[in-house]
Amino acid sequence: MCGRYTVIAPAPTLAKRFNAKEAAAPAPNYNAAPSQALPIITNAAPGQIQLVSWGLVPAWSRDPAGGPKPINARAETLAEKPSFRQLLARRRCLVLADSFYEWQTTERGKVPHRILLKSEEPFAFAGLWDEWVDKASGEVHPTFTIITTEPNELMAKLHNRMPVILPGPDAEHAWLADDLSAAQHQQLLVPYDTALMKEYAITTRVNSPAHNDADVLAAA
């Protein structure tokens, strides 16, 4: 499960890290949540950062307002579900981030943790995207979902899933590459190296998406 994350790095920093033109420069997002417009890079436009809504609305959806909008897709079953299988072949994306949150179930209740790279540098989740077209207006609505996989040793203490973090530019380029097979793309969807990650418990301030400031990052 990945239901909340951060994009704190300034737009120019993201543009340099991912070698792509920056999108409009939004304020740092300390509590990125579903339905928000967040920075991604698609295989269709690998040189451009775009702001796209989190929560997948498939192109074939009849009711984008009331239908499901999955924020996550399981790596292990992508090839089994027709909608995700088509997107794995045609519409992959990088979801830009610099940390994410997970809630650990304890005797005291659910305790939020912040997880990030030891380097504290931006990284990319593996994602899928699609476009739904409003037939009445012709308006195009792009959306995305984040792929999850089994947890590494660090994440297993907190949850039974973790988002797929692509291990650097080579893997990111491979994920976006249209000349690789689905099997080759699937091989990239593995847990990130535990030795390169760190985490710490934070306050429950993060529980509300309305709290979107640096105080969310404070240790508990």
Side-chain angles (χ1 to χ4, degrees):
M1 180 66 178
C2 178
R4 217 75 68 70
Y5 64 96
T6 70
V7 195
I8 301 169
T13 300
L14 291 177
K16 182 177 180 181
R17 163 62 179 83
F18 294 99
N19 192 28
K21 294 180 181 179
E22 61 187 77
N29 197 326
Y30 295 91
N31 205 350
S35 80
Q36 294 178 3
L38 299 163
I40 73 169
I41 299 174
T42 71
N43 61 309
Q48 178 68 54
I49 298 173
Q50 304 177 53
L51 296 178
V52 173
S53 181
W54 182 17
L56 189 73
V57 178
W60 45 262
S61 177
R62 294 184 178 181
D63 182 18
K69 298 178 182 178
I71 62 171
N72 292 157
R74 294 175 65 94
E76 300 88 339
T77 58
L78 291 180
E80 299 172 11
K81 298 186 177 182
S83 56
F84 287 149
R85 183 169 64 241
Q86 292 178 16
L87 297 183
L88 179 62
R90 300 187 297 109
R91 290 186 165 172
R92 299 167 308 281
C93 65
L94 307 179
V95 180
L96 312 190
D98 34 41
S99 71
F100 64 99
Y101 303 115
E102 192 51 80
W103 282 256
Q104 181 184 29
T105 300
T106 73
E107 294 179 354
R108 297 178 289 111
K110 290 190 174 183
V111 178
H113 290 248
R114 183 187 181 209
I115 303 99
L116 62 165
L117 304 188
K118 285 183 176 178
S119 67
E120 300 190 6
E121 295 176 337
F123 56 80
F125 298 126
L128 302 173
W129 66 284
D130 207 351
E131 292 180 331
W132 182 81
V133 179
D134 186 328
K135 293 181 180 179
S137 67
E139 187 175 358
V140 177
H141 298 272
T143 56
F144 73 90
T145 189
I146 294 172
I147 299 173
T148 65
T149 186
E150 296 179 351
N152 59 19
E153 291 180 11
L154 178 145
M155 286 300 301
K157 301 173 185 177
L158 307 178
H159 200 269
N160 61 1
R161 303 291 296 173
M162 71 176 291
V164 173
I165 299 175
L166 296 166
D170 288 346
E172 293 159 6
H173 294 156
W175 178 245
L176 294 183
D178 288 330
D179 58 352
L180 298 184
S181 67
Q184 289 173 307
H185 286 132
Q186 191 83 40
Q187 290 173 0
L188 297 168
L189 305 178
V190 297
Y192 197 76
D193 186 349
T194 298
L196 301 178
M197 300 178 70
K198 62 182 181 179
E199 61 85 17
Y200 62 95
I202 58 175
T203 71
T204 55
R205 182 175 172 78
V206 72
N207 290 357
S208 171
H211 297 152
N212 195 332
D213 53 51
D215 290 344
V216 170
L217 309 180

